[in-house]
Amino acid sequence: MSSASEIGEGCGSGGTYRSFAEYAWNKLSDGDDGLIEETTVPAHLASNSSPIPPARGGGQVKIEIKSASSTSTEHGNCDENKSSSLSPLRLARYALLETLNDENQSVPTGIQVLNLVLFPSSSLPLPVLGMDLVTLPGDKHLIAIDFQPILPPASSSEGEGESGSGSGVLFVDTEQYDYSKWEERLKEVYTKHVVEQEVLPWGGDIPPAASRFFSPYALWTRLSGSDDCDALSIIQKEVFAAFCDYLDLYLEMMNEVKNDGGGNGNGSKSDEVLLVEACTQGHKDYLDYRMTNDPARPMLKRLYGDEYTEDVISNVLFQMI
C-alpha cells in the first residue's frame, strides 16, 4: 500500500480529494486487519454526473458514493466469547464530488468535495469520525475533521478546545475497557495540527445546535487563495497530514477495541443497558441532525436533482438505524 506522503503528493489523477478517499478506503480494507467488507450501494445511487455548459468551460461534476459495513456483526448481538473477532466499526461511507474537464482531468478551481464518515457500533461509547473537505469556486475551502461525540453534553463538562462549549461526551469508560485513554492521544493530534501551527486557523463559531457533535479537538478551518496563501498546497500537505493522523488514530483505536474485545460487559446489567440505550439514541440524534441539516443538500439538488439527492442522503449517507 502506498504511504501517506506518496498519496498526498500524487494529486494528478482524479480530483483534489480523491487521494484522501483512496488513502482512507485502503486503510479500512487493508489485508487481514481490515475493518470493513465493501457492500454494494444501489447502482442508481453509486454515481452520477452533472454536465457543465460549454459557455462555462464544459466538463462535468461527478459524484461517487461508497459504503461498507463492518467485517462482522454488532458487539451487542453475539456471544460474549466471540467478541474479540468483531469489528467495532458499524459502517464507513463517503461521497466524493469532482469537477472534471472534457479530457476527464481535475479542475481544482471547481467543486471538489469529500464527505467521509465512520460510524462505530451503536452499542459502544465511541465517537463518530467525521471528515468534511469542501472546495468551492472562488478558491474557497472549508475543512472539518473531528472525533464527533454522539453522547449528549455532561452537565458540568468543560471543553479545552475552541469548540468546547456545548460539546458532547467523547468517551465513557466501562469496567471492561478504558476508552478515555484515547482522548489524550486525540489531544496530541489536535495540538500538532491546530495549536502548534498557523496555516489552519479556527474557522469561526459553530452553530449552537451543531456544537453537541463537535469535540474540543476539532480541526475546523476556512482557507482562501491569495498572493500570500496557496490554499491548494496547504490542502495537499498540511490538511492531508492532519487527515491521515486523525484517521490513523481512529483506526488504531478501533483495531485495539476489536482485538481486546472492548465492550460493555462485566458491569451491572442495568448500567450496561442504560449505556447502550444512550449510545443508540446518540446515533439516532446524530443521523437525524445530519440528515435534516446537510449543508450540501442545495448544491446536490442543483447538480443531480431532488429525487437523487434525498435518496442518497436518507438511504446511504445518513441512513437511520
Side-chain angles (χ1 to χ4, degrees):
M1 186 174 65
S2 300
S3 69
S5 60
E6 288 171 340
I7 296 175
E9 295 297 329
C11 296
S13 59
T16 301
Y17 299 115
R18 177 161 292 276
S19 58
F20 292 66
E22 290 177 347
Y23 178 82
W25 219 248
N26 287 340
K27 294 279 288 190
L28 281 160
S29 54
D30 185 31
D32 295 335
D33 293 328
L35 287 162
I36 59 170
E37 293 177 344
E38 193 158 347
T39 58
T40 302
V41 177
H44 69 289
L45 299 178
S47 63
N48 208 334
S49 64
S50 178
I52 301 172
R56 292 171 49 205
Q60 59 185 324
V61 182
K62 298 180 67 175
I63 185 171
E64 172 184 294
I65 307 291
K66 281 193 176 183
S67 177
S69 60
S70 66
T71 53
S72 192
T73 56
E74 291 273 328
H75 276 73
N77 299 332
C78 62
D79 189 300
E80 181 180 338
N81 294 326
K82 299 180 182 178
S83 63
S84 62
S85 66
L86 300 177
S87 172
L89 190 67
R90 178 178 68 83
L91 183 71
R93 96 294 177 283
Y94 75 68
L96 179 68
L97 278 75
E98 301 173 300
T99 299
L100 306 173
N101 63 21
D102 287 330
E103 284 72 46
N104 213 37
Q105 296 174 329
S106 174
V107 181
T109 56
I111 294 171
Q112 306 282 347
V113 175
L114 173 63
N115 170 242
L116 170 70
V117 182
L118 308 187
F119 295 94
S121 165
S122 59
S123 67
L124 297 178
L126 296 172
V128 168
L129 178 65
M131 311 179 100
D132 288 284
L133 315 173
V134 179
T135 291
L136 300 173
D139 209 4
K140 299 176 181 178
H141 315 269
L142 298 87
I143 309 294
I145 299 174
D146 193 20
F147 283 37
Q148 299 182 309
I150 52 93
L151 294 170
S155 58
S156 60
S157 64
E158 293 182 7
E160 296 185 44
E162 296 185 64
S163 67
S165 179
S167 295
V169 175
L170 265 176
F171 302 100
V172 175
D173 289 338
T174 68
E175 292 190 22
Q176 185 180 3
Y177 195 83
D178 175 16
Y179 291 108
S180 62
K181 68 180 182 180
W182 295 101
E183 185 162 356
E184 188 61 34
R185 296 281 307 281
L186 177 58
K187 184 178 180 180
E188 292 172 3
V189 172
Y190 170 81
T191 300
K192 173 183 176 182
H193 292 288
V194 180
V195 177
E196 294 180 349
Q197 63 176 343
E198 299 179 354
V199 295
L200 302 174
W202 182 247
D205 291 343
I206 293 170
S211 63
R212 168 186 165 180
F213 302 114
F214 275 79
S215 84
Y217 313 107
L219 189 166
W220 158 231
T221 191
R222 301 173 188 263
L223 302 172
S224 59
S226 66
D227 293 339
D228 300 322
C229 175
D230 183 351
L232 185 58
S233 177
I234 292 173
I235 288 169
Q236 292 175 341
K237 295 178 182 178
E238 284 83 2
V239 172
F240 185 76
F243 177 93
C244 292
D245 281 353
Y246 275 81
L247 175 73
D248 290 351
L249 178 62
Y250 194 85
L251 297 186
E252 181 186 346
M253 176 181 71
M254 286 292 172
N255 275 306
E256 182 172 303
V257 172
K258 175 184 177 181
N259 294 332
D260 290 351
N264 299 326
N266 297 341
S268 72
K269 284 296 180 182
S270 59
D271 288 346
E272 179 182 336
V273 169
L274 288 174
L275 182 56
V276 170
E277 289 178 349
C279 292
T280 301
Q281 186 59 52
H283 278 259
K284 291 179 179 179
D285 292 345
Y286 177 89
L287 290 166
D288 181 66
Y289 179 83
R290 293 295 303 264
M291 185 166 35
T292 304
N293 299 279
D294 191 336
R297 179 180 269 106
M299 178 179 67
L300 293 176
K301 285 186 174 183
R302 176 171 57 82
L303 291 170
Y304 309 114
D306 291 3
E307 183 177 356
Y308 176 86
T309 296
E310 294 303 332
D311 204 356
V312 79
I313 289 176
S314 300
N315 296 319
V316 179
L317 300 182
F318 301 110
Q319 185 177 30
M320 186 57 66
I321 58 175

PDB file of all heavy atoms in Angstrom, residues 214-242:
ATOM      1  N   PHE A 214     -19.517  18.421  17.963  1.00  0.00           N
ATOM      2  CA  PHE A 214     -18.120  18.803  17.765  1.00  0.00           C
ATOM      3  C   PHE A 214     -17.376  18.589  19.073  1.00  0.00           C
ATOM      4  O   PHE A 214     -17.862  18.974  20.141  1.00  0.00           O
ATOM      5  CB  PHE A 214     -18.000  20.269  17.339  1.00  0.00           C
ATOM      6  CG  PHE A 214     -18.164  20.491  15.861  1.00  0.00           C
ATOM      7  CD1 PHE A 214     -19.427  20.502  15.282  1.00  0.00           C
ATOM      8  CD2 PHE A 214     -17.066  20.698  15.049  1.00  0.00           C
ATOM      9  CE1 PHE A 214     -19.588  20.711  13.929  1.00  0.00           C
ATOM     10  CE2 PHE A 214     -17.214  20.902  13.692  1.00  0.00           C
ATOM     11  CZ  PHE A 214     -18.478  20.904  13.123  1.00  0.00           C
ATOM     12  N   SER A 215     -16.194  18.012  18.976  1.00  0.00           N
ATOM     13  CA  SER A 215     -15.378  17.820  20.181  1.00  0.00           C
ATOM     14  C   SER A 215     -14.496  19.041  20.401  1.00  0.00           C
ATOM     15  O   SER A 215     -14.364  19.901  19.519  1.00  0.00           O
ATOM     16  CB  SER A 215     -14.503  16.573  20.020  1.00  0.00           C
ATOM     17  OG  SER A 215     -13.320  16.875  19.308  1.00  0.00           O
ATOM     18  N   PRO A 216     -13.850  19.139  21.564  1.00  0.00           N
ATOM     19  CA  PRO A 216     -12.892  20.225  21.777  1.00  0.00           C
ATOM     20  C   PRO A 216     -11.640  20.093  20.913  1.00  0.00           C
ATOM     21  O   PRO A 216     -10.794  20.986  20.927  1.00  0.00           O
ATOM     22  CB  PRO A 216     -12.531  20.083  23.267  1.00  0.00           C
ATOM     23  CG  PRO A 216     -13.626  19.285  23.865  1.00  0.00           C
ATOM     24  CD  PRO A 216     -14.071  18.357  22.794  1.00  0.00           C
ATOM     25  N   TYR A 217     -11.528  18.995  20.170  1.00  0.00           N
ATOM     26  CA  TYR A 217     -10.309  18.723  19.407  1.00  0.00           C
ATOM     27  C   TYR A 217     -10.572  18.723  17.905  1.00  0.00           C
ATOM     28  O   TYR A 217      -9.864  18.086  17.129  1.00  0.00           O
ATOM     29  CB  TYR A 217      -9.720  17.384  19.847  1.00  0.00           C
ATOM     30  CG  TYR A 217      -9.662  17.265  21.350  1.00  0.00           C
ATOM     31  CD1 TYR A 217     -10.545  16.420  22.034  1.00  0.00           C
ATOM     32  CD2 TYR A 217      -8.782  18.044  22.098  1.00  0.00           C
ATOM     33  CE1 TYR A 217     -10.528  16.340  23.418  1.00  0.00           C
ATOM     34  CE2 TYR A 217      -8.759  17.969  23.491  1.00  0.00           C
ATOM     35  CZ  TYR A 217      -9.626  17.117  24.138  1.00  0.00           C
ATOM     36  OH  TYR A 217      -9.612  17.046  25.513  1.00  0.00           O
ATOM     37  N   ALA A 218     -11.576  19.465  17.494  1.00  0.00           N
ATOM     38  CA  ALA A 218     -11.916  19.540  16.074  1.00  0.00           C
ATOM     39  C   ALA A 218     -10.924  20.409  15.311  1.00  0.00           C
ATOM     40  O   ALA A 218     -10.508  21.463  15.782  1.00  0.00           O
ATOM     41  CB  ALA A 218     -13.326  20.111  15.913  1.00  0.00           C
ATOM     42  N   LEU A 219     -10.578  19.945  14.124  1.00  0.00           N
ATOM     43  CA  LEU A 219      -9.869  20.787  13.163  1.00  0.00           C
ATOM     44  C   LEU A 219     -10.947  21.390  12.265  1.00  0.00           C
ATOM     45  O   LEU A 219     -11.584  20.685  11.471  1.00  0.00           O
ATOM     46  CB  LEU A 219      -8.879  19.964  12.339  1.00  0.00           C
ATOM     47  CG  LEU A 219      -7.890  20.715  11.436  1.00  0.00           C
ATOM     48  CD1 LEU A 219      -6.778  19.773  10.962  1.00  0.00           C
ATOM     49  CD2 LEU A 219      -8.538  21.373  10.228  1.00  0.00           C
ATOM     50  N   TRP A 220     -11.171  22.682  12.412  1.00  0.00           N
ATOM     51  CA  TRP A 220     -12.218  23.382  11.652  1.00  0.00           C
ATOM     52  C   TRP A 220     -11.599  24.670  11.130  1.00  0.00           C
ATOM     53  O   TRP A 220     -11.207  25.543  11.890  1.00  0.00           O
ATOM     54  CB  TRP A 220     -13.428  23.642  12.533  1.00  0.00           C
ATOM     55  CG  TRP A 220     -14.356  24.761  12.127  1.00  0.00           C
ATOM     56  CD1 TRP A 220     -14.791  25.779  12.923  1.00  0.00           C
ATOM     57  CD2 TRP A 220     -14.963  24.974  10.846  1.00  0.00           C
ATOM     58  NE1 TRP A 220     -15.623  26.620  12.231  1.00  0.00           N
ATOM     59  CE2 TRP A 220     -15.749  26.149  10.934  1.00  0.00           C
ATOM     60  CE3 TRP A 220     -14.904  24.305   9.620  1.00  0.00           C
ATOM     61  CZ2 TRP A 220     -16.473  26.655   9.871  1.00  0.00           C
ATOM     62  CZ3 TRP A 220     -15.625  24.807   8.550  1.00  0.00           C
ATOM     63  CH2 TRP A 220     -16.405  25.960   8.673  1.00  0.00           C
ATOM     64  N   THR A 221     -11.480  24.763   9.812  1.00  0.00           N
ATOM     65  CA  THR A 221     -10.808  25.920   9.241  1.00  0.00           C
ATOM     66  C   THR A 221     -11.423  26.307   7.910  1.00  0.00           C
ATOM     67  O   THR A 221     -12.071  25.500   7.243  1.00  0.00           O
ATOM     68  CB  THR A 221      -9.294  25.625   9.049  1.00  0.00           C
ATOM     69  OG1 THR A 221      -8.604  26.825   8.732  1.00  0.00           O
ATOM     70  CG2 THR A 221      -9.058  24.602   7.938  1.00  0.00           C
ATOM     71  N   ARG A 222     -11.234  27.569   7.549  1.00  0.00           N
ATOM     72  CA  ARG A 222     -11.606  28.094   6.238  1.00  0.00           C
ATOM     73  C   ARG A 222     -10.337  28.627   5.582  1.00  0.00           C
ATOM     74  O   ARG A 222      -9.571  29.364   6.210  1.00  0.00           O
ATOM     75  CB  ARG A 222     -12.621  29.235   6.355  1.00  0.00           C
ATOM     76  CG  ARG A 222     -13.927  28.870   7.042  1.00  0.00           C
ATOM     77  CD  ARG A 222     -14.781  30.118   7.246  1.00  0.00           C
ATOM     78  NE  ARG A 222     -15.956  29.869   8.052  1.00  0.00           N
ATOM     79  CZ  ARG A 222     -17.176  29.635   7.556  1.00  0.00           C
ATOM     80  NH1 ARG A 222     -17.357  29.612   6.239  1.00  0.00           N
ATOM     81  NH2 ARG A 222     -18.199  29.424   8.361  1.00  0.00           N
ATOM     82  N   LEU A 223     -10.125  28.253   4.347  1.00  0.00           N
ATOM     83  CA  LEU A 223      -8.966  28.724   3.597  1.00  0.00           C
ATOM     84  C   LEU A 223      -9.440  29.416   2.330  1.00  0.00           C
ATOM     85  O   LEU A 223     -10.456  29.053   1.747  1.00  0.00           O
ATOM     86  CB  LEU A 223      -8.052  27.547   3.212  1.00  0.00           C
ATOM     87  CG  LEU A 223      -7.508  26.689   4.358  1.00  0.00           C
ATOM     88  CD1 LEU A 223      -6.791  25.470   3.793  1.00  0.00           C
ATOM     89  CD2 LEU A 223      -6.571  27.494   5.243  1.00  0.00           C
ATOM     90  N   SER A 224      -8.690  30.412   1.906  1.00  0.00           N
ATOM     91  CA  SER A 224      -8.973  31.068   0.632  1.00  0.00           C
ATOM     92  C   SER A 224      -7.649  31.448  -0.009  1.00  0.00           C
ATOM     93  O   SER A 224      -6.700  31.839   0.679  1.00  0.00           O
ATOM     94  CB  SER A 224      -9.857  32.304   0.822  1.00  0.00           C
ATOM     95  OG  SER A 224      -9.230  33.232   1.677  1.00  0.00           O
ATOM     96  N   GLY A 225      -7.597  31.299  -1.304  1.00  0.00           N
ATOM     97  CA  GLY A 225      -6.364  31.598  -2.017  1.00  0.00           C
ATOM     98  C   GLY A 225      -6.101  33.093  -2.095  1.00  0.00           C
ATOM     99  O   GLY A 225      -7.016  33.909  -2.192  1.00  0.00           O
ATOM    100  N   SER A 226      -4.826  33.456  -2.016  1.00  0.00           N
ATOM    101  CA  SER A 226      -4.422  34.854  -2.151  1.00  0.00           C
ATOM    102  C   SER A 226      -2.947  34.862  -2.529  1.00  0.00           C
ATOM    103  O   SER A 226      -2.305  33.813  -2.653  1.00  0.00           O
ATOM    104  CB  SER A 226      -4.625  35.610  -0.832  1.00  0.00           C
ATOM    105  OG  SER A 226      -3.756  35.113   0.167  1.00  0.00           O
ATOM    106  N   ASP A 227      -2.407  36.075  -2.712  1.00  0.00           N
ATOM    107  CA  ASP A 227      -0.988  36.178  -3.036  1.00  0.00           C
ATOM    108  C   ASP A 227      -0.113  35.605  -1.931  1.00  0.00           C
ATOM    109  O   ASP A 227       1.007  35.141  -2.168  1.00  0.00           O
ATOM    110  CB  ASP A 227      -0.610  37.646  -3.278  1.00  0.00           C
ATOM    111  CG  ASP A 227      -1.266  38.215  -4.532  1.00  0.00           C
ATOM    112  OD1 ASP A 227      -1.658  37.402  -5.395  1.00  0.00           O
ATOM    113  OD2 ASP A 227      -1.389  39.444  -4.633  1.00  0.00           O
ATOM    114  N   ASP A 228      -0.644  35.624  -0.698  1.00  0.00           N
ATOM    115  CA  ASP A 228       0.137  35.154   0.447  1.00  0.00           C
ATOM    116  C   ASP A 228      -0.217  33.729   0.870  1.00  0.00           C
ATOM    117  O   ASP A 228       0.388  33.198   1.798  1.00  0.00           O
ATOM    118  CB  ASP A 228      -0.076  36.091   1.647  1.00  0.00           C
ATOM    119  CG  ASP A 228       0.363  37.524   1.349  1.00  0.00           C
ATOM    120  OD1 ASP A 228       1.388  37.679   0.655  1.00  0.00           O
ATOM    121  OD2 ASP A 228      -0.322  38.450   1.802  1.00  0.00           O
ATOM    122  N   CYS A 229      -1.184  33.122   0.209  1.00  0.00           N
ATOM    123  CA  CYS A 229      -1.660  31.814   0.653  1.00  0.00           C
ATOM    124  C   CYS A 229      -1.989  30.939  -0.542  1.00  0.00           C
ATOM    125  O   CYS A 229      -2.909  31.256  -1.307  1.00  0.00           O
ATOM    126  CB  CYS A 229      -2.893  31.977   1.546  1.00  0.00           C
ATOM    127  SG  CYS A 229      -3.646  30.412   2.045  1.00  0.00           S
ATOM    128  N   ASP A 230      -1.239  29.868  -0.728  1.00  0.00           N
ATOM    129  CA  ASP A 230      -1.550  28.864  -1.737  1.00  0.00           C
ATOM    130  C   ASP A 230      -2.400  27.799  -1.065  1.00  0.00           C
ATOM    131  O   ASP A 230      -1.887  26.839  -0.488  1.00  0.00           O
ATOM    132  CB  ASP A 230      -0.256  28.265  -2.304  1.00  0.00           C
ATOM    133  CG  ASP A 230      -0.516  27.263  -3.412  1.00  0.00           C
ATOM    134  OD1 ASP A 230      -1.693  26.902  -3.628  1.00  0.00           O
ATOM    135  OD2 ASP A 230       0.456  26.828  -4.059  1.00  0.00           O
ATOM    136  N   ALA A 231      -3.712  28.002  -1.110  1.00  0.00           N
ATOM    137  CA  ALA A 231      -4.618  27.134  -0.362  1.00  0.00           C
ATOM    138  C   ALA A 231      -4.523  25.687  -0.828  1.00  0.00           C
ATOM    139  O   ALA A 231      -4.567  24.758  -0.008  1.00  0.00           O
ATOM    140  CB  ALA A 231      -6.050  27.642  -0.495  1.00  0.00           C
ATOM    141  N   LEU A 232      -4.389  25.468  -2.130  1.00  0.00           N
ATOM    142  CA  LEU A 232      -4.327  24.090  -2.641  1.00  0.00           C
ATOM    143  C   LEU A 232      -3.086  23.378  -2.122  1.00  0.00           C
ATOM    144  O   LEU A 232      -3.137  22.195  -1.771  1.00  0.00           O
ATOM    145  CB  LEU A 232      -4.341  24.096  -4.170  1.00  0.00           C
ATOM    146  CG  LEU A 232      -4.403  22.719  -4.839  1.00  0.00           C
ATOM    147  CD1 LEU A 232      -5.637  21.951  -4.387  1.00  0.00           C
ATOM    148  CD2 LEU A 232      -4.376  22.852  -6.361  1.00  0.00           C
ATOM    149  N   SER A 233      -1.977  24.088  -2.033  1.00  0.00           N
ATOM    150  CA  SER A 233      -0.754  23.490  -1.498  1.00  0.00           C
ATOM    151  C   SER A 233      -0.935  23.125  -0.022  1.00  0.00           C
ATOM    152  O   SER A 233      -0.475  22.058   0.428  1.00  0.00           O
ATOM    153  CB  SER A 233       0.421  24.457  -1.653  1.00  0.00           C
ATOM    154  OG  SER A 233       1.597  23.931  -1.071  1.00  0.00           O
ATOM    155  N   ILE A 234      -1.612  23.984   0.742  1.00  0.00           N
ATOM    156  CA  ILE A 234      -1.877  23.693   2.154  1.00  0.00           C
ATOM    157  C   ILE A 234      -2.755  22.454   2.280  1.00  0.00           C
ATOM    158  O   ILE A 234      -2.541  21.597   3.142  1.00  0.00           O
ATOM    159  CB  ILE A 234      -2.538  24.908   2.833  1.00  0.00           C
ATOM    160  CG1 ILE A 234      -1.537  26.065   2.930  1.00  0.00           C
ATOM    161  CG2 ILE A 234      -3.062  24.542   4.222  1.00  0.00           C
ATOM    162  CD1 ILE A 234      -2.142  27.360   3.437  1.00  0.00           C
ATOM    163  N   ILE A 235      -3.745  22.328   1.393  1.00  0.00           N
ATOM    164  CA  ILE A 235      -4.623  21.164   1.421  1.00  0.00           C
ATOM    165  C   ILE A 235      -3.832  19.889   1.122  1.00  0.00           C
ATOM    166  O   ILE A 235      -3.982  18.867   1.807  1.00  0.00           O
ATOM    167  CB  ILE A 235      -5.774  21.335   0.412  1.00  0.00           C
ATOM    168  CG1 ILE A 235      -6.758  22.390   0.930  1.00  0.00           C
ATOM    169  CG2 ILE A 235      -6.499  20.015   0.168  1.00  0.00           C
ATOM    170  CD1 ILE A 235      -7.789  22.827  -0.083  1.00  0.00           C
ATOM    171  N   GLN A 236      -2.971  19.944   0.126  1.00  0.00           N
ATOM    172  CA  GLN A 236      -2.215  18.756  -0.263  1.00  0.00           C
ATOM    173  C   GLN A 236      -1.175  18.365   0.781  1.00  0.00           C
ATOM    174  O   GLN A 236      -0.791  17.182   0.842  1.00  0.00           O
ATOM    175  CB  GLN A 236      -1.539  19.000  -1.616  1.00  0.00           C
ATOM    176  CG  GLN A 236      -2.525  19.110  -2.768  1.00  0.00           C
ATOM    177  CD  GLN A 236      -1.851  19.482  -4.077  1.00  0.00           C
ATOM    178  OE1 GLN A 236      -0.728  19.991  -4.083  1.00  0.00           O
ATOM    179  NE2 GLN A 236      -2.516  19.226  -5.188  1.00  0.00           N
ATOM    180  N   LYS A 237      -0.721  19.294   1.580  1.00  0.00           N
ATOM    181  CA  LYS A 237       0.324  18.991   2.560  1.00  0.00           C
ATOM    182  C   LYS A 237      -0.234  18.968   3.980  1.00  0.00           C
ATOM    183  O   LYS A 237      -0.428  17.903   4.576  1.00  0.00           O
ATOM    184  CB  LYS A 237       1.457  20.005   2.425  1.00  0.00           C
ATOM    185  CG  LYS A 237       2.185  19.911   1.083  1.00  0.00           C
ATOM    186  CD  LYS A 237       3.278  20.975   0.949  1.00  0.00           C
ATOM    187  CE  LYS A 237       3.958  20.894  -0.412  1.00  0.00           C
ATOM    188  NZ  LYS A 237       4.984  21.963  -0.575  1.00  0.00           N
ATOM    189  N   GLU A 238      -0.493  20.136   4.551  1.00  0.00           N
ATOM    190  CA  GLU A 238      -0.903  20.199   5.953  1.00  0.00           C
ATOM    191  C   GLU A 238      -2.254  19.533   6.210  1.00  0.00           C
ATOM    192  O   GLU A 238      -2.413  18.805   7.191  1.00  0.00           O
ATOM    193  CB  GLU A 238      -0.932  21.652   6.439  1.00  0.00           C
ATOM    194  CG  GLU A 238       0.436  22.257   6.713  1.00  0.00           C
ATOM    195  CD  GLU A 238       1.122  22.797   5.475  1.00  0.00           C
ATOM    196  OE1 GLU A 238       0.509  22.728   4.384  1.00  0.00           O
ATOM    197  OE2 GLU A 238       2.257  23.301   5.591  1.00  0.00           O
ATOM    198  N   VAL A 239      -3.246  19.783   5.345  1.00  0.00           N
ATOM    199  CA  VAL A 239      -4.553  19.182   5.572  1.00  0.00           C
ATOM    200  C   VAL A 239      -4.481  17.665   5.387  1.00  0.00           C
ATOM    201  O   VAL A 239      -5.053  16.898   6.167  1.00  0.00           O
ATOM    202  CB  VAL A 239      -5.620  19.802   4.642  1.00  0.00           C
ATOM    203  CG1 VAL A 239      -6.942  19.029   4.745  1.00  0.00           C
ATOM    204  CG2 VAL A 239      -5.859  21.266   4.998  1.00  0.00           C
ATOM    205  N   PHE A 240      -3.753  17.224   4.370  1.00  0.00           N
ATOM    206  CA  PHE A 240      -3.633  15.786   4.153  1.00  0.00           C
ATOM    207  C   PHE A 240      -2.940  15.108   5.333  1.00  0.00           C
ATOM    208  O   PHE A 240      -3.343  14.029   5.778  1.00  0.00           O
ATOM    209  CB  PHE A 240      -2.876  15.497   2.857  1.00  0.00           C
ATOM    210  CG  PHE A 240      -2.824  14.031   2.521  1.00  0.00           C
ATOM    211  CD1 PHE A 240      -3.930  13.379   2.012  1.00  0.00           C
ATOM    212  CD2 PHE A 240      -1.664  13.301   2.730  1.00  0.00           C
ATOM    213  CE1 PHE A 240      -3.892  12.020   1.720  1.00  0.00           C
ATOM    214  CE2 PHE A 240      -1.605  11.943   2.448  1.00  0.00           C
ATOM    215  CZ  PHE A 240      -2.724  11.294   1.934  1.00  0.00           C
ATOM    216  N   ALA A 241      -1.895  15.739   5.865  1.00  0.00           N
ATOM    217  CA  ALA A 241      -1.194  15.169   7.020  1.00  0.00           C
ATOM    218  C   ALA A 241      -2.133  15.051   8.216  1.00  0.00           C
ATOM    219  O   ALA A 241      -2.135  14.037   8.935  1.00  0.00           O
ATOM    220  CB  ALA A 241       0.026  16.021   7.366  1.00  0.00           C
ATOM    221  N   ALA A 242      -2.948  16.092   8.454  1.00  0.00           N
ATOM    222  CA  ALA A 242      -3.901  16.051   9.563  1.00  0.00           C
ATOM    223  C   ALA A 242      -4.965  14.981   9.315  1.00  0.00           C
ATOM    224  O   ALA A 242      -5.335  14.233  10.233  1.00  0.00           O
ATOM    225  CB  ALA A 242      -4.550  17.424   9.739  1.00  0.00           C
TER     226      ALA A 242
END
